[in-house]
Amino acid sequence: MADSSATRPGVTTGPALPVVGKTEIRPTWCPGCGDFGVVAAVEGALKRLGIPSHNVVIISGIGCSSNLPHFLSSYGFHGIHGRVLPVAEGIRWANHGLTVIGTGGDGDGFGIGAGHFVHAMRRNVDLTYVTMDNQIYGLTTGQASPTSVMGQKTKSTPDGVIENPIDPIALALASGATYVARGFSGDVKQLTDLVAGGIQHHGFSLVDVFSPCVTYNKLNTFDFFRQRVYKLESAGHDPTNLPAAFQRALEWGDKIPIGLFYRTERPTYEDLEEVLAPGPLVHQPTGLAGKDKLLDEFV
Amino acid sequence: MAEIVVRLGGQAGDGIASIGESIARSFSRMGLHVFGVNAYQSVIRGGHVWFGARASDARVYSQGDGTDVLVALDRQTFDVHSPGIRPGGTVVYDAEKFSIADNEVPVGVQALNVPALKIARKYTSASVLQNAPGLGAAAYLAGIPLEVLHKQLSDSFGRKAGDVANWNLGASRDGYEFASQHASVSEAAPKARGPAKLLMTGNQAIALGAAAAGCKFLAQYPMTPASSVMHWMAAHSRDVGVVVKQAEDELAAINMAIGASFGGVRSMTATSGGGFALMVEALGMAGMTETPVVVVEAQRSGPSTGLPTKTEQGDLNMMLGAGQGEFPRAILAPSNPAEAYRLTIRAFELAEAWQVPVLVASDFHLSESLMTVDRDEIDLNVTIPSLETVQPDGHDYKRYQLTTTGVSPRALPGQPGLQFVAGSDEHDEKGHLISDIHSGLPVFITMRQEMMDKRMRKLHGLVSAADPPILEGPSASELTFVAWGSTVGAVRDAMRLLAAQGRATNLLWFPTVYPLDGDRVRAMIEKATRTLLVEANYSGQFGRLLRAEAGVHLSERFLKYDGEPFSPHAIVARALEVIRHGG
Ligand SMILES: Cc1ncc(C[n+]2csc(CCOP(=O)(O)OP(=O)(O)O)c2C)c(N)n1
Ligand code: SF4
């Protein structure tokens, strides 16, 4: 279902309202950081969809990647580490006329925030979650992350990681996300398509992005991915086939798939929450004036 | 003043809470003032549970002391509660279930053997009915007309009427008639007076107050004794237009509430101490991003999992200190359901006007006890202002503009031309981070300080906007009680008992426990002849707060941390000790 703001209930629309662009703030990321590609793709996707900037909220947690909302001219909420999704869900339920985009790192989303990740997906909240997955903790200067691979040496694992990494794609498929994609900062064009597809999708969309940390991750570099990634759409993958999507998700090694793994339609949490049926909560009447019948049960 | 206390006890699963509520609600329908306590353990079947219903023709503020009618569905109830039966009282039991030797019955008390099992068998072989004859007998002894009891029972069965409802009506009638043939109505029983009163728990009052104040979103994770806030709201979500979200944990609950508030609706979360501990970091985020949110903290006995179904006021220090760094907050502490309704509305008003987190401090005793409320104490017509406090005027919008009050104009997502980023990092007036490349540079050192000053300035405003401390009772007194929260109720009852003995006492209590006007509090306390601090924790946490904020040291204290609510008689005894021997 198209998700452009013009078709959404209860939002201020009008011609010629500016769409999302850059702000006066320049990203403070290290030169060459993968996150530059991600902010470009999010901006490009929102521009392409023509959603006015005042109807977009970008939420983030804490980490290098979580600075993203400051660089775009939408509303933003730069919260605390790991809590992107509950804040985003609250915003979405307060006003489901808004386009809600969660952003952040792999530590933020799959480490400290892992519980929220699973639950937001099973609820199929209609929002797009773009994770800048650099397989390392950037802002805290290079410790292992939940997606660091076995054996990877980091500041916190000088002898190598001895835990299996989380596979965000497989986890998303298992948890009930209805749009599951993986992008690569080195391919902003495809990434823009994937983010735009996620925003348009009616339901929870995950776009997990290989977004290399050029400073602290010397293993999963741009070159590492350039040599290995291949596009699912060129490989004949059918994104409506869940078992096939699982199989692709498990691929890691010489060939690593990027693109759309899975897409399906399922009612969103907002569709099923009856209180939201009359329209966004923010536009509904407030208070109990005249509802004295409510007091009868206390007699 | 005539008052009666009915206690009903048995094992979890015996339906004690429901027959207890029938008695309590029958009293409130007779226009009496009622206080009902529901005492249970953290098990679903098998533990000892009891319900106490105290009714009077004058206001009652606590469960009181003693029992006039005890319904013992098992021997344990008799053993635990019979020593508290007052002379002239009655214990109702069924000799087919357990026997009571003559010398075990307290002096002046009648043991009334009601053949409950036999009566129940008349209707069904199922065990569901065995509490109904005792209910009927208790109603008779307590002076409740049978029609009142039966109307209450029929109403509570509602549309579920059918065999079970009819059996209950029959078996309770048989119990009622049996009692009328073998005993007489308690002399303590108050007479019916005036129109029916409302009877509600503190948590119901909080939920109702929130909805009346315009709350549109409640996120919560189950935890006794806060869960019933969510239960009431969920049962009425469509009627009151509130989205109720059971979150995956308390971290999510408060972050969702803050998100919803940022998104443009009034929102709330409720929890107990353990859950509040998980909310601490996000509370600071609300402070830093200046996002209003109301957090209900229904305390129970700690530390850790503690006594999940027992009361305490042990989380005050945590509420005061929750969150890294410093940010403004308010803590309101209602003492009974009527106040819980009113102060929850205040909490929303303050949170919004000052863009701060506001805590409503409850505890098991307030959250789960039933108390009567007069119809005119619940005013559903609350003025609810629009949340949008700014419109675009062509100038650069500064979400965190430095102002004299500390409050800055707040835009909501969806408003064109006012986009900003709310940041948990320190930021400048426009919301731009000053935590990274700017921090430590001279101009940003100044900005950081100005931002702290701006936020903390709200405390001055909050002190004058929030409800001040209240001095209740005669101005000339031998002793001034100092109390907060649900403890205030038992103190009010104790003051009346003391007055009956010719002892004039008064009470200084705090609908707002934080922030306080220290000078004003000190002046009030210095006027007292002597003081007695009463609170339900080990270390006198509120006393410590008064020492810090007002520079007064309340050396006479009555502290209680056994999990049970204060009894008025115990407070009287302690007060007399202080009056006679020191303070
Ligand atoms: C509760 C809490 N714990 C720890 C931190 C410290 N911290 C900040 S960012 C971060 C992890 C950063 O890694 P990631 O989320 O992957 O983002 P990246 O910096 O790599 O973009 C941590 C542990 C924090 N801010 N809050
Ligand atoms: S440390 Fe890594 S993740 Fe952070 S900005 Fe630099 S390159 Fe990017």
Side-chain angles (χ1 to χ4, degrees), chain A residues 53 75 79 123 291-292 297, chain B residues 236 239 248 375 415 419:
Chain A
S53 50
Y75 281 92
R123 287 176 194 133
K291 297 194 175 174
D292 295 72
E297 73 174 81
Chain B
H236 298 81
D239 296 337
E248 56 270 31
R375 182 63 191 74
Q415 281 190 277
Q419 296 93 287

Side-chain angles (χ1 to χ4, degrees), chain A residues 62-65 81 105-108 112 134 136-140, chain B residues 281:
Chain A
I62 295 295
C64 297
S65 43
H81 193 36
D106 41 299
D108 198 84
I112 192 168
N134 54 18
I136 199 87
Y137 280 15
L139 190 61
T140 46
Chain B
E281 191 191 13

